[in-house]
Amino acid sequence: MLESYKTIYRGGQGEITEKKSRFIATVREVKSEEEAQAFVEEMKKKYWDARHNCYAYVIGEHREYTRCSDDGEPSQTAGRPMLDVLLGEELYNTAVVVTRYFGGVLLGTGGLVRAYSKAVQEGLANSCVIEKKHGVLLSVDTDYNGLGRIQYLAGERKIPVQDAVYTEKVSLKLLVPIGQIEEIKKAITEGTNGKAKMEREKELYFAKVEGEYLLYEA
């Protein structure tokens, strides 16, 4: 599994105008080719009167499903530049459709490449892009003497505390990146003189979205 990857949390839309032609970019998260193709068809129906609805998408842990289409524009002037923007931004499971309403003025090959690329960038700028990190939900039980040490450790290493329950003991749930799990467990053991009890609840992906951490299936 990827240790981390960037994707779309909330898709957006951006629009630019080049020599009277309108380029409308719509961005969405997609998890399969079927979802991507359904999204493309949805945009084609929505913008049925447009001259072109070009698209690009990257799907899969290894980007095994990577496709693009010029939809009638000169070869390599629309879909490929759009795809290059997604790849350049290191995005996964992301699709974009750029709709063009022709303004009557030819842009030329270079002009088309710049316009479609710029439209995608504008669409991404208006989307919410997040980084999902592969990690472990680590349950930690400690006494109150060990609490401060664990809180300091979590803060120092930027380990999110997902939950905390205070009874006669303290139960914490930490979101630990997969590459740091053994290091963190060792540090907690040393910091609490072996008194803390730890259990790996499950592997998952987590992402910080608008100040809160959201959990996803690994």
Side-chain angles (χ1 to χ4, degrees):
M1 289 185 179
L2 294 168
E3 286 202 8
S4 67
Y5 67 94
K6 290 165 60 179
T7 190
I8 303 298
Y9 173 68
R10 184 173 54 249
Q13 192 172 79
E15 180 176 338
I16 66 167
T17 302
E18 292 288 341
K19 295 182 179 179
K20 300 182 180 179
S21 279
R22 292 174 63 204
F23 294 83
I24 305 166
T26 307
V27 179
R28 187 173 296 179
E29 181 193 21
V30 290
K31 296 177 181 176
S32 67
E33 278 207 287
E34 290 76 17
E35 274 189 36
Q37 289 297 337
F39 168 53
V40 172
E41 290 305 313
E42 178 188 332
M43 292 298 102
K44 286 183 175 181
K45 288 178 181 177
K46 180 177 180 179
Y47 297 110
W48 59 271
D49 57 339
R51 177 73 67 89
H52 307 281
N53 282 287
C54 307
Y55 67 82
Y57 58 79
V58 287
I59 300 168
E61 183 177 340
H62 303 290
R63 295 193 179 112
E64 46 269 65
Y65 304 107
T66 301
R67 305 282 186 272
C68 61
S69 169
D70 296 310
D71 193 35
E73 292 282 28
S75 179
Q76 303 291 304
T77 62
R80 184 68 220 189
M82 293 165 58
L83 182 60
D84 286 342
V85 174
L86 298 183
L87 294 173
E89 293 293 330
E90 299 182 339
L91 288 164
Y92 289 76
N93 295 347
T94 301
V96 60
V97 175
V98 175
T99 302
R100 181 189 183 188
Y101 284 95
F102 184 56
V105 180
L106 297 175
L107 299 183
T109 301
L112 286 172
V113 169
R114 287 189 294 273
Y116 278 100
S117 299
K118 186 177 177 182
V120 175
Q121 291 164 351
E122 192 70 16
L124 291 174
N126 293 324
S127 302
C128 179
V129 177
I130 60 173
E131 181 181 13
K132 291 185 178 180
K133 295 182 179 180
H134 184 205
V136 172
L137 186 62
L138 183 68
S139 177
V140 183
D141 289 341
T142 184
D143 57 25
Y144 282 86
N145 291 327
L147 176 61
R149 180 59 188 162
I150 294 172
Q151 288 176 326
Y152 175 79
L153 176 71
E156 181 183 46
R157 307 195 188 193
K158 298 181 179 178
I159 302 297
V161 179
Q162 179 68 9
D163 193 19
V165 177
Y166 300 91
T167 54
E168 69 276 2
K169 62 179 181 179
V170 183
S171 295
L172 304 171
K173 293 189 187 300
L174 308 181
L175 292 172
V176 184
I178 197 75
Q180 295 179 251
I181 185 66
E182 295 306 321
E183 168 195 340
I184 294 300
K185 287 173 68 176
K186 181 181 178 182
I188 290 174
T189 298
E190 292 175 350
T192 62
N193 295 317
K195 293 180 180 179
K197 295 181 180 179
M198 291 171 279
E199 181 182 353
R200 291 172 59 144
E201 288 201 6
K202 62 179 177 179
E203 287 190 28
L204 41 65
Y205 278 98
F206 63 93
K208 191 173 185 179
V209 182
E210 297 170 347
E212 295 186 5
Y213 283 93
L214 300 182
L215 310 184
Y216 300 88
E217 291 295 325

